[in-house]
Amino acid sequence: MIAKKKPVSSRGKKQNQQLQLVEAAVSQIRQANLEQSQQVIAELATLREDVQEIRQMVERLKPAKPRRSLFRKRKIPVEVEPAPAQQTLPVDQLLPLLPHLGKLIPQLKSPKAAETLKILANPAVMSMIQQFLANSSGVKVRPVSSGTRSIRR
C-alpha cells in the first residue's frame, strides 16, 4: 500500500512557517549567545592574566620574610659616611682668648666666671688640658668607687 500524500491545509502551512520562524530566531539567539560567551571567556582570560601580574608585583614589593634558623646570622654593618669636618681651632689658640671673652659676653663678667677664665688662661693649666684632650681620645673614664674615696681621705 502506498500512502497517499494528504493535501496540506492552510492551517498546516501556517504552523510550518511559524515553526521555521521560531527555529530561525532560536538559531540566531544561539549564535549571539555563543559569540557573547566567547567574548566573556576571552575577557576573563585577560582579567586572570592582569590579576596574576598584579600578584607578582605585590610579591616583589613585599619585604622578604626572615627565615628562622637555629643559628643567628650576623647583620651586615651599614657604612655611614662621616660628617664633613668643621673648621676647628686648636685649644692652645683658644685658651689665651678666654680673658677677653668676659668683655664680649655679659654672663662672663661675674667674679667667679672671671676667676675661672684667668685660671684656664694659665699656661700650666693650658698644657694639662691639652694633655688630657690628647690622652682622652682612647681612654674610658671609670667612676670612682666608694672604697677609693675612703683611702683618699
Side-chain angles (χ1 to χ4, degrees), residues 13-77:
K13 285 183 180 179
K14 280 186 178 181
Q15 286 179 349
N16 194 14
Q17 287 175 349
Q18 288 177 350
L19 281 174
Q20 287 176 353
L21 288 175
V22 169
E23 287 177 2
V26 168
S27 67
Q28 287 177 351
I29 291 173
R30 282 184 189 160
Q31 186 66 28
N33 191 12
L34 180 64
E35 290 173 2
Q36 286 179 349
S37 65
Q38 288 175 349
Q39 184 180 3
V40 168
I41 290 171
E43 288 179 9
L44 280 175
T46 57
L47 286 175
R48 285 185 182 128
E49 291 173 2
D50 291 343
V51 167
Q52 189 63 26
E53 288 176 12
I54 291 171
R55 284 182 182 164
Q56 290 173 354
M57 289 169 51
V58 168
E59 287 297 321
R60 279 186 260 143
L61 294 176
K62 281 184 182 177
K65 293 182 180 178
R67 296 180 183 173
R68 293 186 180 184
S69 64
L70 295 175
F71 306 102
R72 291 188 180 188
K73 295 180 182 178
R74 292 184 184 175
K75 292 184 179 180
I76 299 171

